[in-house]
Amino acid sequence: MNAASVILRLFRSAAKIQRKRMVMTVMAITWGTISIVLLLSFGEGLKRSMVDGWSGMGTGIAVIWPGETSKPYAGFPPGRDLRLLQEDVDLVVAGVDEITAATGEIRSRPQLAWGRVSVNKNVIGAHPAYGELRNHRPAEGGRFINELDFRLKRRVIFLGDELATTLFGEHAAVGETVQVNQVPFLVVGVMQKKKQMGMYGGPDADHAVIPLSTYEAVFGRRYLSNLVFKVAEPEQMERAKQRFNEVLGVKYRFDPTDERAMYVWDTVKTQQTGRNIIIGIEVFLGVIGALTLLIGGVGVANIMYAVVRHRTREIAIQMALGARRLYVMGALVVEATALTFIGGGIGIGVGVAIVETLAFVQSKVDNEAMQFLGAPTFSLPVALVTVLLLGALGLLAGYFPSRRAVAVHPAQALRYE
């Protein structure tokens, strides 16, 4: 008979005798496991929600507003106002290798009307790249403005989902004509609903986009309100900002190191800060869950020490009859590990059921706070962390009491009352 079968037989015989103790132990581990599953799942749901919110405005982008020079340069005094033109977009894309795409923006709040509904909302003139840069995904049946719209200066308009609801209610917006300051524009698309944490000039859901060329032709504005560009990799952002100032500094005669010449919102830095916050929240929740589970593990260890104390004479007889240390230790370790994993398995099952129920309820509740928190999510990392903690607790809770058991000399143990 091999060692594994002997250990299993010893475990089964102990289980028959100590049923009540084992049930209480399993319940303690189950409760700890449910706690850590719920806490880590809520942390994972919050992380995913915040990542979606950050990507709502676009990823890897910088938003540039022209400012005022604060340093003298090439014979020009400080205090000059700078203005950007549509042609500057092509200039920086061609002159800065790190920039993969860019768009200009001209913003105003004209009157938008359809039928008897009339509102004043942000209307943005932009390049076709704006949709990809700012994560404007068209809902089914529509599209974003394209290169042909831009080249032909078409009077087409893309609506945010909330703006479309304000104007049209339940009526389909695509294909209808909206009056923008009494100028007709054809609705070619409506934005998909999205989460958005970062914004400037208001939420994307409540504004409209038209081709920049059309904006200039119809409303007679030339100067950009701001410029947006995207880099291929986040680590390229610093170099891209430096080269951006160098390229435009040559054209507009300002010092590239003048931080007030161009105001920059680097979303890469903002999102990295947010990710660090999320990591901190996840670690905090994980530590709380792990400590809760650890309490259950300490309970297992205490019970195993009690078992060793109760079975001292039995263990001594086994050792006196020539039982190997491996058999005695193995049976106790298997007992502790089995109890831990049985409780853990039940806890994971119950925890996942609770997580799925809460996620379903959250999906049916139209509440901004609930949407921000995100649906609790039981993911592979959560499962791995839980299993590793359970395994470590089971082994430790069984190893140290079993080591104590086999360390007692059989002659002394037989005199134990």
Side-chain angles (χ1 to χ4, degrees):
M1 186 178 296
N2 57 35
S5 60
V6 171
I7 290 172
L8 290 175
R9 288 184 62 183
L10 290 172
F11 168 67
R12 284 197 298 268
S13 62
K16 291 178 182 179
I17 300 171
Q18 305 289 339
R19 288 180 181 176
K20 184 181 292 187
R21 173 181 58 79
M22 289 187 173
V23 169
M24 297 299 293
T25 303
V26 167
M27 288 178 63
I29 293 296
T30 298
W31 175 249
T33 305
I34 292 173
S35 299
I36 194 169
V37 166
L38 290 179
L39 289 170
L40 290 178
S41 295
F42 274 107
E44 181 70 16
L46 178 61
K47 180 184 75 174
R48 295 188 181 189
S49 176
M50 294 189 73
V51 169
D52 288 343
W54 292 323
S55 63
M57 198 185 77
T59 55
I61 66 172
V63 187
I64 314 292
W65 289 271
E68 178 184 278
T69 60
S70 61
K71 297 180 180 180
Y73 184 75
F76 292 91
R80 289 181 297 121
D81 289 329
L82 299 177
R83 302 284 186 88
L84 297 177
L85 298 169
Q86 182 184 153
E87 63 198 47
D88 295 328
V89 175
D90 296 329
L91 179 64
V92 296
V93 171
V96 182
D97 294 336
E98 291 79 8
I99 294 178
T100 59
T103 178
E105 291 186 52
I106 301 179
R107 291 174 171 262
S108 63
R109 288 180 63 86
Q111 183 187 70
L112 287 83
W114 182 79
R116 295 184 179 182
V117 181
S118 177
V119 293
N120 287 87
K121 297 292 183 179
N122 277 328
V123 174
I124 300 168
H127 291 76
Y130 187 85
E132 183 68 25
L133 291 173
R134 296 288 319 312
N135 200 20
H136 281 39
R137 307 294 184 188
E140 186 177 355
R143 65 174 178 83
F144 194 69
I145 60 175
N146 58 32
E147 291 291 342
L148 196 58
D149 296 330
F150 186 85
R151 191 167 65 250
L152 298 180
K153 301 180 182 179
R154 288 173 172 170
R155 287 181 295 184
V156 294
I157 189 167
F158 181 86
L159 302 176
D161 55 295
E162 291 182 9
L163 177 55
T165 301
T166 300
L167 289 172
F168 296 96
E170 298 299 322
H171 185 78
V174 177
E176 295 292 339
T177 300
V178 173
Q179 301 291 325
V180 181
N181 276 356
Q182 300 182 346
V183 178
F185 279 76
L186 176 67
V187 179
V188 294
V190 175
M191 187 174 67
Q192 292 180 12
K193 184 177 179 62
K194 67 176 181 178
K195 294 179 182 178
Q196 182 181 0
M197 292 181 63
M199 65 184 70
Y200 55 98
D204 294 348
D206 206 32
H207 74 207
V209 182
I210 65 175
L212 182 59
S213 56
T214 308
Y215 201 112
E216 292 182 343
V218 173
F219 301 109
R221 287 184 56 179
R222 297 179 56 240
Y223 295 113
L224 302 180
S225 302
N226 59 276
L227 186 148
V228 182
F229 68 74
K230 179 181 178 67
V231 293
E233 301 293 338
E235 56 269 16
Q236 296 177 332
M237 181 59 77
E238 289 301 322
R239 175 60 178 167
K241 291 188 295 184
Q242 179 184 342
R243 287 289 299 136
F244 177 90
N245 280 348
E246 291 172 357
V247 170
L248 290 185
V250 172
K251 178 179 178 180
Y252 291 106
R253 298 292 192 272
F254 67 85
D255 189 336
T257 64
D258 188 348
E259 294 182 357
R260 294 181 59 185
M262 295 286 169
Y263 294 102
V264 182
W265 180 11
D266 181 354
T267 66
V268 171
K269 284 185 177 180
T270 304
Q271 292 171 4
Q272 183 58 52
T273 301
R275 280 190 289 269
N276 292 339
I277 293 173
I278 285 297
I279 291 172
I281 292 174
E282 285 189 308
V283 170
F284 175 72
L285 293 177
V287 168
I288 293 176
L291 289 175
T292 305
L293 188 59
L294 181 61
I295 292 171
V298 170
V300 175
N302 286 334
I303 290 172
M304 295 307 298
Y305 274 117
V307 169
V308 170
R309 185 180 180 87
H310 179 73
R311 293 165 56 187
T312 300
R313 291 175 62 85
E314 175 188 338
I315 293 171
I317 291 171
Q318 292 174 357
M319 297 292 290
L321 293 174
R324 296 182 182 179
R325 294 167 62 95
L326 174 63
Y327 293 169
V328 177
M329 289 185 65
L332 294 172
V333 170
V334 168
E335 181 177 340
T337 305
L339 293 177
T340 303
F341 274 103
I342 290 171
I346 297 172
I348 290 175
V350 174
V352 170
I354 295 174
V355 166
E356 293 298 324
T357 302
L358 292 175
F360 175 77
V361 172
Q362 191 263 4
S363 67
K364 300 298 181 182
V365 176
D366 188 14
N367 181 279
E368 288 189 8
M370 291 290 289
Q371 295 297 328
F372 174 77
L373 288 174
T377 305
F378 185 76
S379 64
L380 180 60
V382 173
L384 291 176
V385 169
T386 306
V387 170
L388 288 174
L389 284 173
L390 287 171
L393 283 173
L395 289 173
L396 293 175
Y399 173 73
F400 289 105
S402 65
R403 189 179 68 171
R404 176 185 178 183
V406 298
V408 179
H409 194 277
Q412 296 177 346
L414 286 171
R415 294 197 299 270
Y416 181 80
E417 298 294 334

